[in-house]
Amino acid sequence: MNIDGSTIPKCPKCNTPLFKPNDLYGVSFDMDKWDGSDIFVFDNLPNLPIVTEKLKNILVKNKLTNIKFEDISKAKF
């Protein structure tokens, strides 16, 4: 979903989101449909892994490198 909670239009054949680059600012998801996993992806944005704050803190504490964290509500696509 877009940050305002509206569904992002997608291709009916391949499920790819239909938006122009830089058109999408922030994403959200329905918490009622979340299974509670610490890491997951959206069906139509598989290249955007989402992690919980808990997992982010573990990764930072263990000094993993080559990871950039960004608030999904402020992400620019």
Side-chain angles (χ1 to χ4, degrees):
M1 292 185 286
N2 204 335
I3 194 61
D4 64 5
S6 61
T7 302
I8 299 170
K10 61 185 176 180
C11 172
K13 289 185 180 182
C14 67
N15 211 26
T16 301
L18 299 176
F19 57 87
K20 296 178 214 141
N22 300 320
D23 256 4
L24 188 60
Y25 297 95
V27 292
S28 63
F29 61 95
D30 185 347
M31 294 287 285
D32 293 333
K33 294 181 181 178
W34 176 44
D35 68 0
S37 300
D38 285 320
I39 186 168
F40 61 96
V41 296
F42 296 119
D43 290 338
N44 59 347
L45 290 173
N47 62 337
L48 178 69
I50 309 297
V51 299
T52 61
E53 194 71 26
K54 172 185 160 189
L55 181 56
K56 174 190 169 192
N57 292 337
I58 291 169
L59 297 173
V60 169
K61 180 181 176 184
N62 287 284
K63 299 180 180 163
L64 269 70
T65 59
N66 289 340
I67 299 174
K68 177 184 174 187
F69 298 102
E70 189 168 357
D71 186 330
I72 64 171
S73 67
K74 296 176 176 86
K76 182 178 176 182
F77 302 92

